[in-house]
Amino acid sequence: MPETEVKATISKSTGLPRKRFYRARAHSNPLSDSHFPVPISPSQFDYSLHYPQIFTSTDQVDGSRKVQFADIGCGFGGLLISLSTLFPETLMIGMELRDKVTEYVKERILSLRVTNPGQYQNVSVVRTNSMKYIPNYFEKAQLTKMFFLFPDPHFKEKNHRRRVISPFLLDEYAYVLKPALTEKELEADPVVKLLSSATEEGQKVARNGGQTFQAVFRRIVPSDQTS
Amino acid sequence: MEEAEVEVESNRDNVEVAPALIAVHPDQTSVAVAVGPDLRVFDLLSGSAASLVDECGAPFHKDSIRAIRYGPRGKLFVSAGDDKTVKIWSTESWRCVCTVSSEKRVSAVAISEDGCHVCFADKFGVVWVVDVPGSDGHVALGDRKPTPLLSHYCSIIPSLEFSPDGRFIVSADRDFKIRVTNFPKKPLNGAHEIQSFCLAHTEFVSCLAFVCSPECPQGLLVSGSGDSTVRLWDISSGVLLDTCVVAAKAGLLESNGEAEEHSHAVTDLCTTLNGSLIAVAIQSLQGIVLLSCDVSAQTLSVSKVVSILGEAFVPTSLGFCPHEGKLWMVTGVSSLPSCNYPSLARVRVISGIDVEQEPVVVGDDKIPGREKLLETLQGSASVDESAFLAAAEAVKTAMCNLLIKKQYPSDNRESRKKTRNDRKLKN
């Protein structure tokens, strides 16, 4: 039976989506008022949609399992895919502003779930503007790790407001992050090795002989914390 | 070039109008009304208009005032707006003691409980703080530079409030969110500890107020929104306690199902009398809705709907005087383009805001200050009523344009992208 598809966006051999059909510009405007659905509050976040094998119906979300890792600006999903098998019991989500790229990651996860039964059920992606809507997805101190690979420096002063790491946004990231306990945990963490090699961007930099710089920060407990 | 204001329409032919605002001194010694760039104050003790003296920075406001407020102790008064300045006045001498310049237009102001800090929010979502030492207003402070306190990313903040115990500062934005942040001991270093987010509104949050009572000294937060609801919150946890669909409950929604979109936004809220009653102003409602808040049960319910009969009066701003139990209301707008009047304002008062009494709309002759007050605050003792319906419409449109996200139709998306550099055809 001949294939009537003009463009096979999913490769027949691997089942994975082909990047060339999901190409997008590197930048999408975080300041614009896009109209994509955003949960009104973290309790409205649909776990059964993102992790169907774990939460088989919307009624079953009892609140005991929540997303713990967030990859902000996950791009084509390289880090998420590596993290998924490294932390199979942890729920994780990627957030990406560009819709084509988000579609690519969705297709990638779906096909990986098919070709690897039982695996990749703990990872998902959502198209959203994380600079505006992080509090809509995550409750206070819900996340144990947040990944920013890699923040665009936006050197020009007029673009400083587009920086994903800024003193104002750090307040929000601190809100959703659990205070970290010890420094020793950081050294032993297997994630740190992934930071330079797991993402497509990191691999491209390595191919071109460039360097990747790591920075790891932890959320501290405020000294004058009231109740 | 304000790139942040992405909701600029290409065919905006109507001038941005600003609603009239009213504020009442906590002891009802004076009442202030702001219409467009004019700030009008009537001193009730002397029974005459207060003359404002401004030798501080650029005198008076050059563009529409968007927020006015008395400090909780009544010593200070703040006005701020589209001219990107915040002016702090002493309420005793009505001199401007301090002018603060903002980078962007200002949309909300708040004064801390101890009167030592003034916070204001700009249209890009940044809340700034300035310290006001010698907060009794006697010391002229000249110009002061504000420092950033916190930010709602790229979102207009129509309302800013301090909690009654001064521990928190609450900011509400156009993206339906309310953020409760711990107000630190040294606010000039920024407020970085977010206590909670109060999330449930499905449209912009336009107004905030605190209900406090002896049984709940830390206060419960009440918020009004473009989704026609008023909601009650516990700010330490961000939990929604109750929701009151005011437009429906007040019988405003027409049964023909053709209700105009966004026509019943809550425009202003005012807590009264130890907070057990809350006055709510809604777009298209000629009057106010009184809600009662049961603090122990943590519920809201509609108590009464007070209609203003005899004239088209849709309040744009409310102010309450606790000592006298009077609710002050103003309606009006700056510079209606098609109208002869440079600006319109009409002040009315409702007395008897009490659970036991019946609210009564006070006639012009019985208003405190009488005709002199009306003349000062309104600009004239009597105003042509036909202009007010047009004013209400203009305010509604302006609020929609400002706070509601534009829906861009997908059919002409390609033509809108024509100016983009990577889309320009290379010939």
Side-chain angles (χ1 to χ4, degrees), chain B residues 27-47:
Chain B
D27 304 322
Q28 201 170 277
T29 55
S30 57
V31 178
V33 162
V35 189
D38 292 334
L39 181 59
R40 306 169 185 163
V41 183
F42 190 83
D43 184 340
L44 284 164
L45 292 178
S46 68

Side-chain angles (χ1 to χ4, degrees), chain B residues 20 33 35 40 330-333 343-347 377-379 383 388:
Chain B
V33 162
V35 189
R40 306 169 185 163
V330 74
T331 189
V333 79
S343 60
L344 290 176
R346 174 86 176 106
V347 174
L377 298 181
Q378 293 176 175
V383 194
F388 282 111

Side-chain angles (χ1 to χ4, degrees), chain B residues 267-320:
Chain B
T267 49
D268 203 4
L269 270 187
C270 196
T271 46
T272 70
L273 190 66
N274 283 339
S276 58
L277 283 179
I278 303 163
V280 182
I282 307 173
Q283 269 176 356
S284 322
L285 176 64
Q286 292 177 18
I288 54 145
V289 176
L290 277 177
L291 295 182
S292 80
C293 175
D294 184 335
V295 178
S296 39
Q298 297 178 333
T299 56
L300 285 177
S301 54
V302 177
S303 168
K304 292 175 191 106
V305 178
V306 183
S307 307
I308 312 280
L309 304 165
E311 62 180 286
F313 187 91
V314 178
T316 51
S317 177
L318 306 173
F320 183 72

Side-chain angles (χ1 to χ4, degrees), chain B residues 77 206 254 265 350:
Chain B
F77 178 84
S206 51
E254 282 95 39
I350 297 180

Side-chain angles (χ1 to χ4, degrees), chain B residues 273-427:
Chain B
L273 190 66
N274 283 339
S276 58
L277 283 179
I278 303 163
V280 182
I282 307 173
Q283 269 176 356
S284 322
L285 176 64
Q286 292 177 18
I288 54 145
V289 176
L290 277 177
L291 295 182
S292 80
C293 175
D294 184 335
V295 178
S296 39
Q298 297 178 333
T299 56
L300 285 177
S301 54
V302 177
S303 168
K304 292 175 191 106
V305 178
V306 183
S307 307
I308 312 280
L309 304 165
E311 62 180 286
F313 187 91
V314 178
T316 51
S317 177
L318 306 173
F320 183 72
C321 175
H323 288 241
E324 309 240 340
K326 290 197 173 61
L327 180 75
W328 291 74
M329 309 175 293
V330 74
T331 189
V333 79
S334 62
S335 59
L336 268 184
S338 55
C339 203
N340 295 330
Y341 306 97
S343 60
L344 290 176
R346 174 86 176 106
V347 174
R348 297 302 302 265
V349 173
I350 297 180
S351 65
I353 304 278
D354 198 316
V355 273
E356 277 110 55
Q357 294 178 46
E358 268 304 302
V360 170
V361 180
V362 175
D364 282 358
D365 50 333
K366 301 251 181 14
I367 240 185
R370 302 218 174 88
E371 289 88 22
K372 275 195 101 173
L373 176 135
L374 290 175
E375 215 174 300
T376 310
L377 298 181
Q378 293 176 175
S380 67
S382 69
V383 194
D384 182 6
E385 290 166 24
S386 58
F388 282 111
L389 276 175
E393 274 308 301
V395 168
K396 194 192 291 187
T397 313
M399 188 180 235
C400 260
N401 288 343
L402 187 68
L403 294 175
I404 297 193
K405 293 191 203 190
K406 273 213 63 152
Q407 295 269 4
Y408 291 98
S410 49
D411 40 346
N412 59 356
R413 184 185 291 161
E414 288 307 308
S415 65
R416 275 185 272 115
K417 291 190 184 181
K418 261 192 293 200
T419 52
R420 255 170 52 172
N421 281 331
D422 61 335
R423 290 290 178 117
K424 286 199 171 117
L425 298 170
K426 293 181 171 77
N427 286 340

Side-chain angles (χ1 to χ4, degrees), chain A residues 25 30-31 33 35 40-42 131-133 135-136 140 161-162 168 171-172 175 219 222 226-227, chain B residues 3 124 148 151 153-154 167 174-175 177 179 191-195 197 199-201 405-406 420 422:
Chain A
R25 298 164 71 216
L31 301 170
D33 260 347
H35 286 275
I40 285 291
S41 68
M131 295 165 88
K132 272 193 172 180
Y133 300 118
N136 293 69
K140 188 172 190 176
R161 61 175 168 227
R162 292 166 187 257
F168 299 134
D171 294 347
E172 294 198 2
Y175 171 79
R219 202 261 195 250
T226 46
S227 68
Chain B
E3 291 169 289
F124 193 57
S151 160
Y153 192 72
C154 196
R167 280 177 62 201
R174 190 196 87 153
D175 286 300
K177 300 208 288 279
R179 169 173 157 170
H192 302 295
E193 278 299 317
I194 302 178
Q195 176 70 19
F197 278 93
L199 306 174
H201 278 298
K405 293 191 203 190
K406 273 213 63 152
R420 255 170 52 172
D422 61 335

Side-chain angles (χ1 to χ4, degrees), chain B residues 190-242:
Chain B
H192 302 295
E193 278 299 317
I194 302 178
Q195 176 70 19
S196 69
F197 278 93
C198 299
L199 306 174
H201 278 298
T202 55
E203 254 305 344
F204 60 83
V205 183
S206 51
C207 37
L208 296 171
F210 271 92
V211 166
C212 22
S213 71
E215 58 224 40
C216 183
Q218 69 270 30
L220 295 178
L221 178 71
V222 188
S223 61
S225 157
D227 62 10
S228 307
T229 63
V230 172
R231 294 181 198 255
L232 188 67
W233 311 86
D234 166 17
I235 55 169
S236 339
S237 57
V239 166
L240 173 69
L241 300 170
D242 201 7

